[in-house]
């Protein structure tokens, strides 16, 4: 059985924290919980965390998901390698899309199905632990730079810090 390390669950509902802790104890070596995101970054600086399961609403009476999106951004700024899965009872497609566009690894709605939750968390960690070949990373990086520059190879080469000829040669090799 693969070791899925440490998960940090952040939710302001103690019953949710307890249920999630029991659900995930068999999958994760260590299950950490916080009922407030205020000490989240401090805890992550002190403890190795492999994945974060983050509620999206912490302000009483506000269900916009904005709290979760702000904490998602803060986590990514300090710990860009740690995947964050968002969880909320007030889900809609637009909120899920906003979370995913801002870097969430996945999105789960409450109430959740235990087996589906565990599968999603494992999938996210398996994907995060994948090491892609350098050629594949370089190809996707070059494509992104060329796309961002509207196909202008001179601008893309400048963006990548290489000459236009080097960029052209790399692109030719990728074909």
């Amino acid at each position: 059985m693969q070791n899925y390390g440490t998960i940090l669950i952040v939710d302001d509902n103690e019953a949710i924290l307890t249920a999630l802790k029991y659900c995930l104890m068999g999958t994760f070596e260590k299950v950490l919980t916080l009922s407030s995101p205020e000490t989240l970054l401090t805890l992550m600086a002190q403890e190795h965390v492999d994945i974060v399961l983050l509620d999206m609403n912490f302000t009483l009476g506000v269900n916009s998901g904005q709290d979760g999106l702000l904490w998602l951004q803060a986590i990514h700024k300090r710990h860009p390698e740690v995947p964050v899965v968002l969880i909320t009872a007030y889900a809609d497609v637009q909120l899920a899309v906003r979370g995913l566009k801002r870097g969430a690894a996945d999105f789960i709605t409450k109430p959740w199905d235990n087996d589906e939750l565990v599968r999603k968390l494992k999938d996210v960690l398996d994907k995060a632990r994948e090491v892609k070949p350098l050629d594949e990373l370089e190809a996707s990086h070059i494509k992104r730079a060329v796309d961002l520059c509207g196909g202008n190879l001179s601008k893309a080469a400048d963006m990548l810090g290489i000459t236009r000829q080097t960029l052209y040669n790399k692109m030719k090799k990728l074909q």
Side-chain angles (χ1 to χ4, degrees):
M1 183 172 160
Q2 187 170 353
N3 173 1
Y4 284 94
T6 300
I7 185 168
L8 172 58
I9 307 165
V10 187
D11 197 300
D12 56 348
N13 184 324
E14 289 292 337
I16 296 282
L17 288 176
T18 301
L20 285 169
K21 186 169 188 166
Y22 282 116
C23 172
L24 299 172
M25 280 178 13
T27 304
F28 290 89
E29 190 175 296
K30 196 175 199 181
V31 179
L32 304 173
T33 60
L34 286 176
S35 58
S36 166
E38 300 303 320
T39 58
L40 166 70
L41 296 174
T42 304
L43 178 67
M44 289 182 75
Q46 296 167 349
E47 287 263 2
H48 174 79
V49 172
D50 294 289
I51 189 168
V52 175
L53 184 57
L54 178 67
D55 188 26
M56 295 197 67
N57 297 300
F58 295 98
T59 305
L60 194 61
V62 178
N63 300 320
S64 67
Q66 199 57 38
D67 293 337
L69 295 175
L70 291 172
W71 284 106
L72 169 66
Q73 206 169 7
I75 293 167
H76 276 305
K77 191 172 185 178
R78 290 249 188 97
H79 305 277
E81 74 289 352
V82 177
V84 177
V85 175
L86 299 173
I87 185 168
T88 185
Y90 304 98
D92 64 34
V93 173
Q94 288 179 332
L95 182 57
V97 169
R98 282 191 5 235
L100 294 170
K101 280 185 175 179
R102 293 191 187 183
D106 211 330
F107 190 87
I108 294 167
T109 56
K110 298 175 190 173
W112 63 89
D113 172 87
N114 286 347
D115 293 334
E116 181 70 9
L117 172 70
V118 169
R119 185 195 58 74
K120 279 187 175 192
L121 293 172
K122 284 180 172 182
D123 287 350
V124 165
L125 275 171
D126 289 343
K127 185 177 180 190
R129 291 175 175 171
E130 245 176 40
V131 177
K132 292 183 179 174
L134 285 176
D135 289 348
E136 191 179 316
L137 287 175
E138 184 179 55
S140 93
H141 200 64
I142 287 171
K143 182 183 179 334
R144 184 165 183 256
V146 171
D147 287 349
L148 285 172
C149 294
N152 183 323
L153 295 185
S154 296
K155 281 184 179 180
D158 281 347
M159 182 184 281
L160 293 167
I162 58 177
T163 66
R164 188 178 191 284
Q165 185 62 46
T166 301
L167 176 58
Y168 180 76
N169 290 340
K170 287 179 179 292
M171 290 175 65
K172 196 173 181 181
K173 204 166 43 168
L174 294 173
Q175 294 177 347

